[in-house]
Amino acid sequence: MNTNPSLPLQTSVSRASRIAELEQRLLPLLGEQAWIPMRGLLDEVLRLKAETGALILAHNYQRPEIFHGVADLTGDSLALAQLAAQSESSLMILCGVHFMAETAKLLNPKARVLIPDLQAGCSLAESITPEDVRALREQYPGVPVVTYVNTSAAVKAECDCCCTSGNAVKIVEALGAERVLFLPDEYLGQYVASQTGVELILWRGHCEVHERFTAAKLVEQRERYPHAQLLAHPECSPEVLAAADMVGSTAQMADYVSVQRPAEVVMVTEQEMGRNLSVLHPQTQFHDLAYACPHMQLITLEKLLISLRDGLYEVSIDEDIASRARRSVKRMLELGRGGKA
Ligand code: 13P
Ligand code: SF4
């Protein structure tokens, strides 16, 4: 998790100095053509943010101008959930995908939670419905059901506990069961099974971005960058993970780079992750395969500006679904802290 220092952005002078500082960091990454029209947008977003008191949370896959430019808090899905739960702000804008905004709303129901584009979905969340979960429960009576947070609140409501890529191994182990239904990411489930003695019954959901990586592509990257460390997200297939040097959530990859300070890395994950890290770690050379998440890319500075200006788009969850889904998310946070199964 990263926090941007909150600056006095009420005056145009303070915003101008913030934008000048951002220019130093972002111009080399974005290039002049992209950067110049962004300056006015950044100024207006920073002004509206100060005026509305909104708290902006951004996932590690967000565009650099959002991640570095205007976010108050950044991190992986787990950190964003924890930060949303702790926030005292009455208005949060989630720059990420819809399930992340729903999770923030579940954990902080009194706050207004906005997402700049309601269409920002996720192929994993699309892969399973509440009816599917109910049918699995009938097929496997008594088997606990863990769902990846990359699902709708309605799916979370049918499950016993959530997990993220950062805590999935810990959550599955903490349940103390011999068999667990693990939904919907097949590859994350296979990774968790390889790290635990638990038998996992899996669903065939995949991330449309991470399933594009293949072991052959990693071999190519290794030949091209023989001194680079290959860092992979556990949403990749087992063959890809076996060909990587490190496997972890987006926050775990960020920590790895901060602590190990490798000279060169290949990011086996969504493209903005390495671009965002490269601004923070000039000592490391970042390579990637330029696979963007089309849902994350829907969130732009222009849409964030409209969101702040017009209060759009508010995330709301049916109360019955919300109370059951909240139980699953809260159980994850308790088990993650070492609480009771
Ligand atoms: P993290 O929780 O590791 O940030 O992953 C979220 C995600 O959607 C990865 O594709
Ligand atoms: Fe979903 Fe994959 Fe995009 Fe993450 S990268 S939000 S898992 S589609």
Side-chain angles (χ1 to χ4, degrees):
M1 164 188 90
N2 287 311
T3 55
N4 279 342
S6 141
L7 291 165
L9 296 165
Q10 302 283 2
T11 68
S12 58
V13 176
S14 58
R15 291 196 305 276
S17 81
R18 169 98 174 110
I19 291 167
E21 179 224 319
L22 277 172
E23 180 163 309
Q24 301 277 318
R25 292 205 272 162
L26 296 183
L27 183 60
L29 177 70
L30 300 173
E32 217 165 65
Q33 230 187 333
W35 172 254
I36 288 171
M38 258 175 215
R39 285 192 301 214
L41 284 168
L42 280 168
D43 184 63
E44 188 57 2
V45 168
L46 293 172
R47 188 187 72 74
L48 285 166
K49 184 167 88 139
E51 189 179 284
T52 57
L55 184 78
I56 301 182
L57 296 103
H59 185 260
N60 291 327
Y61 292 164
Q62 285 293 290
R63 297 165 183 271
E65 59 273 22
I66 291 179
F67 184 92
H68 290 290
V70 295
D72 297 295
L73 304 166
T74 58
D76 67 356
S77 311
L78 179 60
L80 294 181
Q82 289 164 330
L83 292 165
Q86 291 155 13
S87 166
E88 286 177 6
S89 177
S90 58
L91 177 62
M92 286 189 255
I93 307 203
L94 201 306
C95 292
V97 292
H98 193 259
F99 76 80
M100 294 174 179
E102 274 193 338
T103 308
K105 180 72 186 172
L106 288 173
L107 290 171
N108 203 327
K110 290 205 180 101
R112 282 184 79 208
V113 176
L114 307 181
I115 182 164
D117 190 326
L118 278 171
Q119 302 306 314
C122 169
S123 66
L124 281 164
E126 283 302 307
S127 74
I128 192 158
T129 65
E131 293 72 32
D132 293 327
V133 184
R134 286 197 287 270
L136 284 165
R137 277 203 185 276
E138 275 183 28
Q139 203 182 335
Y140 299 99
V143 178
V145 185
V146 173
T147 180
Y148 194 24
V149 279
N150 297 39
T151 45
S152 65
V155 164
K156 290 181 176 80
E158 300 297 331
C159 297
D160 298 306
C161 187
C162 292
C163 72
T164 70
S165 59
N167 64 16
V169 169
K170 187 169 184 180
I171 297 295
V172 166
E173 278 177 340
L175 288 174
E178 280 175 20
R179 285 170 101 197
V180 168
L181 264 158
F182 187 93
L183 314 171
D185 187 345
E186 183 182 27
Y187 294 153
L188 177 64
Q190 286 171 336
Y191 174 70
V192 173
S194 76
Q195 304 294 304
T196 63
V198 182
E199 184 196 337
L200 296 190
I201 303 159
L202 302 175
W203 189 249
R204 302 285 295 271
H206 296 138
C207 161
E208 68 189 87
V209 181
H210 290 91
E211 72 179 350
R212 293 177 66 191
F213 293 97
T214 61
K217 282 183 183 150
L218 265 66
V219 169
E220 255 172 49
Q221 294 294 306
R222 239 191 233 291
E223 280 169 6
R224 195 157 166 205
Y225 307 112
H227 305 296
Q229 300 274 301
L230 273 55
L231 316 187
H233 195 277
E235 289 172 8
C236 296
S237 72
E239 299 73 35
V240 167
L241 299 185
D245 298 302
M246 179 269 172
V247 177
S249 75
T250 58
Q252 289 162 345
M253 288 186 209
D255 289 347
Y256 183 91
V257 174
S258 304
V259 174
Q260 304 292 331
R261 299 172 66 82
E264 213 174 337
V265 291
V266 176
M267 301 301 288
V268 185
T269 191
E270 206 274 345
Q271 69 169 17
E272 302 297 2
M273 177 82 209
R275 279 158 49 91
N276 285 329
L277 286 182
S278 71
V279 175
L280 302 169
H281 301 287
Q283 84 282 350
T284 300
Q285 243 191 299
F286 288 84
H287 309 289
D288 64 65
L289 274 79
Y291 293 165
C293 171
H295 311 287
M296 291 280 180
Q297 291 282 307
L298 285 177
I299 310 298
T300 61
L301 266 185
E302 287 89 342
K303 289 181 193 168
L304 177 54
L305 191 157
I306 294 168
S307 195
L308 280 160
R309 191 190 62 201
D310 301 342
L312 298 172
Y313 294 92
E314 186 160 1
V315 173
S316 64
I317 309 169
D318 168 87
E319 199 30 59
D320 168 55
I321 291 175
S323 70
R324 290 182 293 126
R326 188 174 297 122
R327 261 205 315 261
S328 293
V329 183
K330 283 197 165 170
R331 190 160 181 216
M332 166 183 85
L333 296 179
E334 275 158 30
L335 287 181
R337 281 195 293 265
K340 279 202 218 96

